[in-house]
């Protein structure tokens, strides 16, 4: 009987150790695809600062910039497996793991920053978060507002749709974005983000599209001359945490993570409003980049929406889901 009691006591102690493991101080790793000065970095730094405050310094994190921990899509796999803690990545790179996120990449689904903000703060984002946990084993705890993806290239000014002819454009490995360029008569080159700068530098591709903040942070002005002020995709970049890591935390730590993500999201919104115009000026003044507007962007929008939207209704959750998003934005249903 004494022997049995000892076993029970040991098991009880072990269970107590497992239960309290989540309250042990931790320093977590956050993978970041972009470089210093980017919207991704700004969100990450604010998240860390807030997390430290809310946990009394018990929990902190470190950013690994410029894809040091792997490509953005690789970091989703790693977080799902529990071998990576956090990652900040483009929503289009998370969508292959949770297809309903593709609704955020439908061309011209957002007309302005305010519509992107409405979506992040509304019920549709909450549903997308739950879908992502279910589909991919990671949880979205924050959103980076990075701005519209604009088109840069080293070949020529692009001021109308016909100018896109003959320009080789790098795009992410995302079917919606690939088909968007095809709708414009272009044959894009899918490529990992980590390979993009070298490909631009060596002339493997002529151009790429990312927000102004990313063009600046990644120093694309060194290898690109022209920017077209395109508005086909407002880039939202989620901060994800491994769901297994999240579930390992006690309620107080989970609350701190959630609140830190919300604070970082709000900060990211203001950061973009404060920084984007200055960054555009820097691209012109520091790198002598030329920024052109499109005289015929309505044509770009029409071609992309007609060709791409119907093809992806099913994968993003159905046409009714697209209409629900449009209604929430005060736009006409399709």
């Amino acid at each position: 009987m004494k022997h049995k009691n000892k076993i029970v006591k040991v098991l009880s102690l072990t269970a107590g150790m497992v239960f309290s493991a989540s309250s042990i101080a931790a320093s977590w790793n956050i993978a970041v695809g972009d470089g210093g000065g980017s919207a991704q970095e700004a969100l990450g730094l604010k998240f860390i600062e807030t997390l430290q405050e809310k946990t009394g310094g018990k929990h902190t994190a470190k950013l690994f910039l410029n894809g040091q921990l792997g490509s953005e899509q690789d970091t989703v796999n790693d977080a799902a497996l529990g071998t990576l803690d956090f990652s900040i990545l483009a929503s289009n790179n998370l969508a292959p793991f949770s297809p309903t996120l593709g609704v955020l990449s439908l061309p011209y689904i957002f007309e302005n920053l305010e519509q992107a903000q409405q979506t992040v703060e509304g019920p549709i984002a909450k549903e997308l978060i739950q879908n992502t946990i279910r589909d991919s084993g990671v949880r979205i705890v924050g959103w980076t507002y990075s701005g519209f993806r604009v088109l840069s290239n080293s070949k020529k000014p692009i001021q109308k749709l016909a100018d896109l002819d003959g320009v080789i454009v790098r795009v992410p490995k995302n079917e919606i974005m690939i088909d968007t360029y095809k709708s414009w008569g272009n044959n894009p080159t899918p490529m990992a983000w980590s390979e993009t700068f070298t490909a631009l530098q060596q002339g493997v591709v002529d151009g790429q599209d990312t927000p102004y903040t990313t063009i600046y942070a990644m120093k694309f002005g060194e290898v690109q001359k022209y920017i077209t002020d395109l508005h086909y995709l407002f880039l939202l970049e989620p901060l994800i945490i491994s769901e297994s890591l999240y579930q390992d935390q006690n309620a107080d730590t989970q609350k701190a993570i959630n609140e830190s993500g919300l604070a970082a999201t709000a900060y990211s919104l203001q950061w973009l409003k404060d920084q984007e115009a200055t960054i555009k000026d820097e691209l012109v003044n520091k790198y002598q980049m030329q920024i052109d507007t499109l005289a015929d962007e309505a044509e770009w929008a029409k071609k992309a929406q007609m060709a791409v939207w119907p093809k992806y209704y099913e994968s993003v959750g159905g046409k009714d889901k697209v209409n629900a998003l449009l209604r929430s934005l005060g736009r006409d249903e399709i």
Side-chain angles (χ1 to χ4, degrees):
M1 180 65 80
K2 287 182 179 179
H3 181 66
K4 184 177 180 181
N5 286 340
K6 284 182 180 179
I7 294 173
V8 171
K9 190 175 287 186
V10 169
L11 288 173
S12 298
L13 287 169
T14 304
M17 290 173 65
V18 172
F19 179 76
S20 62
S22 62
S23 60
I24 296 172
S27 178
W28 292 316
N29 294 334
I30 304 178
V32 182
D34 290 348
S38 64
Q40 289 186 352
E41 182 198 42
L43 175 101
L45 290 174
K46 187 63 177 179
F47 176 79
I48 293 169
E49 175 191 327
T50 311
L51 181 68
Q52 290 173 334
E53 290 174 359
K54 290 187 176 295
T55 63
K58 186 174 171 182
H59 295 287
T60 187
K62 180 181 178 181
L63 300 181
F64 290 83
L65 303 173
N66 290 307
Q68 293 178 65
L69 301 185
S71 72
E72 291 194 352
Q73 291 195 5
D74 285 345
T75 66
V76 181
N77 275 321
D78 292 343
L81 292 170
T83 58
L84 175 66
D85 305 317
F86 290 85
S87 179
I88 305 170
L89 71 162
S91 57
N92 52 270
N93 282 327
L94 184 53
F97 302 89
S98 186
T100 57
L101 274 173
V103 73
L104 303 178
S105 299
L106 292 176
Y108 295 97
I109 193 73
F110 297 129
E111 299 170 316
N112 50 51
L113 168 61
E114 290 70 30
Q115 290 181 358
Q117 181 186 356
Q118 281 178 256
T119 301
V120 165
E121 295 176 357
I124 289 173
K126 290 182 174 62
E127 182 179 345
L128 293 175
I129 290 169
Q130 291 305 311
N131 291 350
T132 303
I133 296 169
R134 177 197 68 203
D135 297 338
S136 59
V138 301
R139 175 183 293 258
I140 297 170
V141 294
W143 298 87
T144 315
Y145 293 91
S146 293
F148 281 104
R149 296 181 75 112
V150 296
L151 176 61
S152 73
N153 86 95
S154 59
K155 199 168 188 177
K156 60 182 178 179
I158 298 174
Q159 301 168 337
K160 58 185 183 299
L161 187 56
D163 295 334
L164 193 58
D165 186 49
V167 178
I168 303 171
V169 181
R170 173 269 172 188
V171 294
K173 296 176 181 179
N174 176 279
E175 294 301 322
I176 293 177
M177 297 174 73
I178 292 168
D179 283 338
T180 296
Y181 272 86
K182 287 181 177 178
S183 76
W184 295 330
N186 189 268
N187 187 26
T189 300
M191 183 180 293
W193 179 236
S194 58
E195 301 169 8
T196 302
F197 186 92
T198 301
L200 293 169
Q201 188 177 45
Q202 295 178 350
V204 176
V205 293
D206 302 314
Q208 61 82 49
D209 73 58
T210 43
Y212 286 108
T213 56
T214 305
I215 291 173
Y216 182 74
M218 301 304 292
K219 298 181 171 56
F220 282 167
E222 296 177 1
V223 292
Q224 301 277 268
K225 170 65 177 173
Y226 306 100
I227 293 177
T228 302
D229 197 28
L230 195 58
H231 302 91
Y232 86 104
L233 197 163
F234 188 97
L235 185 57
L236 293 168
E237 303 192 278
L239 166 64
I240 61 171
I241 179 175
S242 164
E243 180 64 7
S244 59
L245 175 63
Y246 183 85
Q247 293 301 334
D248 281 345
Q249 307 310 306
N250 61 33
D252 287 342
T253 304
Q254 288 182 352
K255 183 182 179 185
I257 291 169
N258 294 338
E259 291 179 349
S260 299
L262 287 173
T265 300
Y267 176 81
S268 174
L269 177 65
Q270 191 59 49
W271 186 90
L272 181 64
K273 291 178 178 178
D274 292 342
Q275 298 295 324
E276 190 173 50
T278 301
I279 286 170
K280 287 172 70 174
D281 289 342
E282 278 285 292
L283 291 173
V284 172
N285 296 325
K286 182 177 180 178
Y287 294 107
Q288 286 75 56
M289 297 189 81
Q290 176 180 320
I291 300 177
D292 294 298
T293 57
L294 286 173
D296 62 344
E297 192 161 11
E299 184 181 354
W300 295 62
K302 183 178 179 181
K303 284 181 176 292
Q305 288 174 326
M306 288 180 64
V308 178
W309 285 28
K311 185 175 180 180
Y312 290 94
Y313 287 150
E314 184 177 351
S315 68
V316 303
K319 187 175 180 179
D320 60 323
K321 295 293 184 183
V322 179
N323 277 328
L325 176 53
L326 293 172
R327 282 196 306 273
S328 74
L329 301 176
R331 298 183 59 186
D332 294 335
E333 295 184 25
I334 46 178

